[in-house]
Amino acid sequence: MSQLIKPKSYQQLLDMKQTEQGIKLIKEFFQQNLSTELRLRRVTAPLFVLQGLGINDDLNGVERAVNFPIKDLGDARAEVVHSLAKWKRLSLAEYKIEPGYGIYTDMNAIRADEELDNLHSLYVDQWDWEAVITPEQRTVAYLKSVVERIYAAIRRTEYLTCETYPQIKPFLPEHITFIHSEELLHRYPDLTPKEREDAVCREYGAVFVIGIGGALSNGEKHDGRAPDYDDWSTVGENGLAGLNGDILIWYPVLERSFELSSMGIRVNGESLLRQLELEGKQERSQLYFHRKLLAGELPLSIGGGIGQSRLCMVLLHKAHIGEIQASIWPDEMRATCRQLGMPLI
């Protein structure tokens, strides 16, 4: 409960019926825009994968995946996905996707170790996407161009939502600002990473923070990233490492920064080995996914995840993600949210 943000004078702009209609409108419109912008085709995704293949997303490396035995496979264990970061790259190879094209899917996950608050739920739903790129496109400039196209799709969706529900007013800035996590550290040396994000988002409205996963000049990471999907160690612009990042906005309803997407150019064989060594995870190179990547059997790619419930929450001006999705919440949190005028589904 200490993590619950209690916005002052919060009022729902849509009732529950309008909210459900708004969720449908946003999801249908945005995914079509995303598909068109990045030339993505929709594919079907798994809810769970086999343990021990290195396919599941390890997130920060400490979160436990929900797992269960499979009777017909001799009690081999499956685990519910955290995201589809590595599975998508395997699928690009399987579908023989050409450079310039990609795939997207509805990803549903359970993250049992989440600390529940206004933004974090046990249930995670994302548009997970992945596109094939060329060696020449493994640059910060190309990463930025993709971010701008995704942000343009988000703003178009905001426009449609506000046209449909005039009581909702647009707030996203026209352009997204790019800044490296090392630059953030120098700009706000006395703040924590989260406080830096709040400060820069308050100033610019929408920001893409580049370079998340590697140690900064103070020896600390801006945030954690698994070593085997995003490339956070290759040197890009201005001699700074990182070909990945997060799309963040300033969310006035909660008066804080708000992450909408984590994405990046993926590791190649060289950066995979380098990052496994930096994280002391060299043994992963023997796993199924890693062996295929190191053998050159997987295409170079860029990809990420965009929160479905989070995008709907922002565009419908909700104060709690539980107003958008059905999940499990502590009884005390449900009661408090009801008193604050933000009843949870």
Side-chain angles (χ1 to χ4, degrees), residues 231-245:
D231 188 335
W232 41 259
S233 63
T234 293
V235 175
E237 290 182 348
N238 304 321
L240 298 174
L243 296 176
N244 70 337

Side-chain angles (χ1 to χ4, degrees), residues 28 45 48-49 54 72 77 108 144-145 157 160 167 173 183 194 200 208 225 230-231 236 247 300 317:
E28 290 180 349
F48 40 80
V49 294
D72 274 3
R77 300 195 75 84
N108 297 287
K144 289 181 177 180
S145 72
T157 309
L160 175 65
Q167 63 269 45
E183 296 176 76
K194 179 63 183 66
V200 75
F208 186 75
R225 280 293 188 280
D230 279 357
D231 188 335
I247 295 177
L300 298 175
H317 293 204

Side-chain angles (χ1 to χ4, degrees), residues 325-342:
Q325 57 160 249
S327 186
I328 297 174
W329 306 99
D331 290 341
E332 185 183 355
M333 182 178 290
R334 280 191 176 275
T336 301
C337 288
R338 191 179 303 112
Q339 293 171 0
L340 293 171
M342 46 187 194

